[in-house]
Amino acid sequence: MKGELVLLTLVLQFAVLPLIIPDGYIPNLSALLILYLAFYHTSILGVWLAFFLGLLFDLSAGSLLGPSAAGLVLAYIFIAVLSKRLFLDALVSSLIFGGFASGIVFTIRYLLLSQFVSLPFWIPLIQESLSSALFAPILFWIFSKLRRKNVG
């Protein structure tokens, strides 16, 4: 099931959403998948999945290899530690944590990429975090339907 989710997020993020959403407002679906996995499938496999998803993200985006992988791994670890104390099923919490996870990944990716290129920070951070927050409840609903389908 995790392979299906990775494939779904990559196809949506790099093939479908750029056709219907303006550039800069595309949510970070990889961060949302990592958030979902950190809450519902916490394991060492999740760390490896976050790493390889980040590498696939970097390859698909055509940027340096590693910044997204580092961001997704650190976000997964941070959220997995917090997941035992938090509840993600409520709409407000999925909005907040969706934006938060995307913000963590964006900031780490920015810090690593800004060593080589001058990049804007605040406007893209706000755009990506807000779009991810707004898209999080929809994506979590899809993920939960897929999880129930595979369990039942």
Side-chain angles (χ1 to χ4, degrees):
M1 177 178 130
K2 293 175 186 169
E4 295 169 353
L5 294 178
V6 170
L7 184 62
L8 175 68
T9 56
L10 288 175
V11 167
L12 280 174
Q13 185 153 1
F14 292 108
V16 176
L17 292 180
L19 298 174
I20 56 177
I21 298 176
D23 194 29
Y25 294 96
I26 298 172
N28 189 341
L29 300 183
S30 302
L32 297 178
L33 174 61
I34 292 306
L35 173 67
Y36 183 82
L37 292 176
F39 268 88
Y40 296 109
H41 300 286
T42 305
S43 69
I44 192 68
L45 179 64
V47 176
W48 285 105
L49 187 62
F51 177 75
F52 287 116
L53 183 61
L55 287 179
L56 289 172
F57 183 94
D58 289 334
L59 284 171
S60 300
S63 64
L64 294 173
L65 285 180
S68 296
L72 288 173
V73 167
L74 291 174
Y76 179 86
I77 292 169
F78 183 72
I79 293 166
V81 169
L82 291 177
S83 70
K84 304 301 180 221
R85 297 173 180 84
L86 301 172
F87 182 68
L88 188 64
D89 290 335
L91 176 68
V92 174
S93 63
S94 65
L95 288 168
I96 292 170
F97 291 113
F100 182 69
S102 180
I104 290 173
V105 173
F106 180 88
T107 302
I108 293 169
R109 192 173 65 226
Y110 170 82
L111 290 173
L112 293 173
L113 287 175
S114 66
Q115 303 299 314
F116 305 103
V117 174
S118 177
L119 298 169
F121 179 70
W122 291 108
I123 300 297
L125 171 68
I126 293 169
Q127 288 173 333
E128 185 174 305
S129 296
L130 284 177
S131 63
S132 296
L134 293 173
F135 204 79
I138 298 164
L139 199 64
F140 293 160
W141 179 78
I142 293 169
F143 289 162
S144 66
K145 292 293 182 189
L146 288 174
R147 183 179 68 172
R148 287 188 193 121
K149 178 182 169 190
N150 287 339
V151 170

